[in-house]
């Protein structure tokens, strides 16, 4: 599991979210530092995304890790980077969990400050195309995606990100919004209820979206880590 910190955070923050589960289940945690305030979450190969991919490849070789069970998760900047990694390296990452991020292709801030825009692209197809453009010609399976976003988020603003990040990954996996199965649930360990929509094919969950009223940008204290491991 590549665990990715928020802007101004550090690797130790990202490790603490999953350390007890790593101890319990035996998976390896990789915790990169952004090398600046934020991760450079552009939806393309190279730069920090390539460095992380190289670290994954090294551990697969040196620690005999299972190459088909590599995942990413992060908060805020780390959530943006999660979406970028799943877009740019679908042959490396089996899936990701994004907690308050932006869709792949929306990040503009390099690794210094928050910088993002969802202006100019309004359709799920258009956002899906940004994922496909991150790995031109790729014909394999795309990574599964779990998305969390609080409706009161004004940092990576919910109203400007949610329709596009969810539509993007539904499109990548060939779903329409009407294909989703909706539920209101309280995940194990969570401090509140979430509205969940699940998209499955042939019994395999491929996209899962979660949003909740009154929840702001900081999802770290919301007790979601156990459900992410699930």
């Amino acid at each position: 599991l590549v665990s990715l910190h928020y802007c101004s955070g550090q690797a130790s923050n990202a490790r603490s979210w999953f350390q007890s589960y790593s101890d319990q289940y035996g998976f390896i945690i990789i915790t990169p530092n952004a090398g600046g305030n934020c991760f450079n979450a552009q939806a393309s190969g190279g730069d920090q995304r390539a460095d992380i991919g190289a670290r994954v490849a090294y551990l697969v070789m040196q620690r005999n890790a299972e190459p088909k069970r590599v995942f990413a998760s992060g908060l805020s900047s780390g959530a943006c980077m999660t979406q970028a990694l799943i877009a740019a390296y679908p042959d490396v990452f089996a899936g990701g969990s994004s907690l308050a991020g932006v869709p792949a292709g929306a990040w503009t801030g390099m690794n210094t400050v928050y910088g993002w825009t969802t202006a100019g692209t309004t359709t799920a197809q258009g956002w899906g195309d940004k994922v496909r453009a991150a790995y031109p010609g790729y014909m394999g399976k795309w990574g599964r995606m779990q998305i969390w976003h609080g409706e009161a988020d004004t940092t990576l603003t919910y109203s400007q990100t949610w329709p596009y990040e969810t539509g993007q990954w539904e499109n990548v996996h060939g779903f329409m919004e009407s294909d989703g199965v909706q539920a209101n649930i309280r995940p194990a360990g969570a401090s509140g209820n979430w509205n969940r929509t699940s998209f499955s094919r042939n019994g395999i969950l491929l996209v899962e979206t979660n949003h909740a009223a009154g929840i702001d940008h900081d999802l770290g204290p919301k007790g979601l880590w156990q459900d992410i491991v699930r």
Side-chain angles (χ1 to χ4, degrees), residues 1-3 14-16 18-20 22 27-31 59:
L1 173 65
V2 176
S3 184
R15 178 167 293 277
S16 68
F18 294 108
Q19 186 64 65
S20 64
S22 171
F27 60 83
I28 300 167
I29 309 172
I30 300 174
T31 50
L59 280 179

Side-chain angles (χ1 to χ4, degrees), residues 43-81:
S44 62
D47 194 69
Q48 289 182 319
R49 282 86 57 203
D51 292 341
I52 292 170
R55 292 179 69 173
V56 169
Y58 177 83
L59 280 179
V60 167
M61 179 176 64
Q62 295 294 324
R63 298 283 298 275
N64 197 33
E66 172 52 62
K68 293 184 179 180
R69 298 182 69 186
V70 178
F71 299 88
S73 183
L75 276 173
S76 189
S77 172
C80 302
M81 190 62 156

